């Protein structure tokens, strides 16, 4: 069993809104570590204490126990009560720039970045908003008139090695969209447009994650498709039905678990057999009919969720957490592609609602499942080991008073074997107050 974690409060979580805005599975990343410092992003009220508007908060601390320092970006008020409009964080290791993207649900791109060297030498910089640009509607190096910056949802940021940062984003609405890929290079300080890896045909892809295996220089992606269902006014530019939390094209239309990988930072894509299926330099893309992408044929109305979780183990195996109706029970399911390319699927445990879980890989190659309950404010952690090819699941921790969808700090787990979980916790046993917190679990090979 895991020992009880230490908890660090990042700030109050807004409770006055209808929809939560901190802690969703599609945030890649909300917490990350670089150079011995940990960084996390969330929304909270401004320094005035008023409930509205909300502002992006960027926190940092020197590990393992340094004090929290927080920048509040009060030049950009967030006022839309929509859980899609989360904050994402990325760090380019070679030039120390910190990148943020925020507040999108079919909206113009919103992005800012820091001065060079900030994350490489944190103590040389006084932590304040002047270290960052204002909110930009473009990526430096790519014109603001670029086709895909005007209707953005689900941006993701992450490292593809020391000198390269990626951003992906969806252009289009639920059921009718595609995923586009961009690279930031420290050598130039600019972004470049790679292309459109995933195109939806009368559908849109929902990715579980873009995970880069630095040992093998391979970028992995898995996704499900959501088929489009026609509704009155779908082609009206003023239509907002698709911006509802559960709009006319909902999760009941999710189907098929798909997989592809790239060995050149996303320019060329291969299916699970190793066949080249899309060369983005030539304007090609992966769409619903591309050969060899479907790992599991799963029909609509099978309980599949969008954007749940993905992780890559130290041997190069790919793990996906999603869910299905099995024997009339709604179950979390572990889909596993071994390092040899063989897929298996196994039920993990029953699920009681829509909150999505997270996967994590420890230094000794254990697979952790961080699973929230929906009906009660409970979160549990299960583990599977390489000894039986990750085929059995043991509960190693159960926590109360926690809500939302957990996120994890992958780099800290990789470097320090500390599991940092970004979540939300009731404050002072109160139902109407809660904090955004980091829970830190010290792991050992005996857990």
């Amino acid at each position: 069993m895991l020992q009880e974690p230490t908890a660090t409060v990042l700030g109050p979580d807004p409770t006055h809104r209808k929809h939560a805005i901190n802690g969703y599975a599609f945030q890649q990343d909300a917490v990350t570590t670089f150079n011995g410092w940990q960084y996390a992003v969330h929304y909270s009220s401004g320094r005035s204490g008023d409930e509205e508007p909300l502002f992006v908060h960027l926190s940092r601390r020197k590990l393992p126990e340094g004090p929290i320092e927080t920048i509040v970006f009060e030049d950009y008020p967030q006022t839309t009560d929509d859980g899609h409009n989360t904050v994402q964080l990325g760090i380019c290791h070679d030039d120390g720039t910190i990148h943020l993207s925020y507040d999108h649900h079919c909206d113009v791109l919103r992005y800012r970045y820091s001065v060079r060297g900030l994350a490489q030498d944190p103590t040389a910089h006084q932590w304040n908003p002047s270290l960052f640009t204002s909110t930009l509607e473009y990526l430096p190096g790519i014109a603001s008139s670029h086709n895909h910056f005007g209707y953005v949802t689900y941006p993701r940021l992450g490292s593809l090695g020391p000198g390269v940062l990626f951003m992906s984003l969806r252009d289009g609405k639920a059921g009718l969209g595609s995923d586009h890929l961009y690279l930031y290079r420290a050598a130039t300080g600019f972004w470049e447009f790679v292309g459109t890896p995933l195109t939806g045909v009368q559908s849109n892809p929902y990715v579980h994650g873009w995970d880069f295996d630095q040992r093998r220089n391979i970028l992995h992606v898995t996704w499900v498709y959501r088929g489009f269902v026609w509704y009155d006014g779908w082609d009206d530019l003023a239509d907002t039905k698709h911006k509802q939390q559960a709009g006319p094209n909902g999760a009941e239309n999710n189907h098929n678990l798909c997989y592809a990988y790239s060995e050149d930072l996303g320019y060329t894509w291969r299916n699970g057999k190793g066949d080249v299926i899309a060369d983005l330099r030539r304007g090609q893309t992966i769409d619903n009919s591309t050969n060899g992408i479907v790992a599991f044929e799963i029909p609509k109305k099978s309980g599949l969720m969008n954007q749940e979780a993905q992780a890559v183990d130290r041997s190069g195996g790919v793990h996906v957490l999603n869910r299905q109706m099995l024997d009339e029970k709604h179950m979390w399911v572990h889909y596993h592609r071994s390092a040899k390319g063989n897929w298996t699927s196994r039920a993990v445990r029953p699920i009681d609602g829509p909150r999505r879980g997270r996967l994590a890989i420890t230094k000794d190659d254990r697979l952790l499942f961080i699973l929230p309950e929906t009906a009660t404010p409970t979160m549990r952690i299960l583990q599977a080991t390489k000894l039986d090819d990750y085929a059995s699941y043991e509960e190693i921790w159960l926590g109360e008073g926690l809500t939302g969808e957990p996120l994890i700090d992958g780099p800290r787990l990789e470097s320090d074997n500390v599991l940092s979980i970004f979540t939300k916790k009731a404050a002072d046993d109160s139902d109407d107050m809660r904090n955004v917190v980091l829970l830190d679990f010290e792991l050992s090979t005996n857990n």
Side-chain angles (χ1 to χ4, degrees), residues 2 29 56 77 99 116 128 142 147 151-152 158 176 180 187 196 220 225 235 316 338 353 372 378 421 433:
L2 291 179
D29 290 315
V56 172
H99 303 250
R116 295 169 76 93
N128 62 60
I142 304 174
N147 287 341
Y151 212 63
V152 174
L176 282 178
H180 311 285
T196 304
H220 300 271
Y225 281 111
D235 55 350
S338 72
T378 303
I421 298 178
M433 292 183 63

Side-chain angles (χ1 to χ4, degrees), residues 100-114:
L100 304 174
S101 191
Y102 41 89
D103 202 19
H104 308 90
H105 191 187
C106 302
D107 294 295
V108 66
L109 179 69
R110 287 152 186 156
Y111 160 83
R112 70 170 88 217
Y113 67 103
S114 78

Side-chain angles (χ1 to χ4, degrees), residues 124-391:
H125 300 83
Q126 187 175 358
W127 194 236
N128 62 60
S130 68
L131 297 167
F132 289 79
T133 67
S134 59
T135 297
L136 306 177
E137 296 181 353
Y138 63 93
L139 299 176
I142 304 174
S144 58
S145 59
H146 177 68
N147 287 341
H148 310 307
F149 289 164
Y151 212 63
V152 174
T153 309
Y154 302 127
R156 292 172 180 256
L157 291 163
S159 174
L160 297 185
V164 183
L165 189 73
F166 81 86
M167 176 185 281
S168 71
L169 57 87
R170 189 188 81 191
D171 176 23
K173 61 181 68 176
L176 282 178
S178 300
D179 274 44
H180 311 285
L181 184 64
Y182 306 82
L183 300 184
Y184 172 86
R185 296 186 185 272
T188 64
F190 292 112
W191 290 86
E192 62 193 59
F193 178 50
V194 176
T196 304
L198 304 177
T199 294
V201 178
Q202 288 297 300
S203 66
N204 78 269
Y206 279 115
V207 304
H208 299 96
W210 305 85
D211 283 312
F212 186 61
D213 181 351
Q214 294 197 47
R215 296 173 180 82
R216 298 164 186 83
N217 294 319
I218 296 176
L219 177 61
H220 300 271
V221 62
T222 61
W223 69 98
V224 302
Y225 281 111
R226 176 172 295 181
F228 180 71
V229 176
W230 182 91
Y231 63 93
D232 189 30
W234 72 271
D235 55 350
D236 182 351
L237 294 178
D239 169 56
T240 59
K241 296 184 182 69
H242 63 283
K243 297 185 73 166
Q244 300 170 16
Q245 292 292 114
N249 281 274
E252 67 276 6
N253 299 312
N254 293 343
H255 61 281
N256 287 356
L257 177 64
C258 302
Y259 168 75
Y261 71 93
S262 173
E263 298 173 316
D264 61 357
L265 303 183
Y267 277 97
T268 307
W269 289 90
R270 298 175 181 271
N271 61 22
K273 295 180 179 179
D275 302 327
V276 174
I277 52 176
D279 184 345
L280 273 57
R281 291 184 177 91
R282 300 172 61 185
Q284 297 174 355
T285 188
I286 301 169
D287 66 25
N288 309 52
S289 64
T290 298
N291 181 54
I293 60 171
V294 178
F296 292 94
E297 292 189 3
I298 302 170
K300 297 177 183 179
K301 299 182 180 180
S302 296
L304 268 182
M305 182 57 84
N306 44 285
Q307 305 151 303
E308 188 132 9
Q310 176 183 290
V312 179
D313 64 40
R314 300 172 79 86
S315 300
V318 178
H319 303 265
V320 175
L321 176 68
N322 209 305
R323 58 197 62 197
Q324 280 184 252
M325 293 297 297
L326 301 173
D327 297 326
E328 299 184 352
K329 293 181 181 178
H330 203 188
M331 303 291 290
W332 260 305
V333 179
H334 172 209
Y335 305 91
H336 175 209
R337 183 180 189 267
S338 72
K340 295 182 179 180
N342 301 314
W343 282 98
T344 57
S345 66
R346 298 183 178 92
V348 177
R349 61 170 288 111
I351 184 172
D352 74 340
R355 285 184 183 152
R356 289 165 286 200
R358 204 68 169 178
L359 296 177
I361 297 290
T362 68
K363 287 179 73 72
D364 58 350
D365 231 7
R366 282 173 293 144
L367 177 64
L368 303 181
F369 299 76
I370 303 102
L371 305 178
E373 301 291 336
T374 299
T376 60
T378 303
M379 183 172 70
R380 67 187 73 235
I381 301 176
L382 280 60
Q383 75 172 6
T385 70
K386 196 174 180 179
L387 294 176
D388 63 353
D389 202 27
Y390 306 102

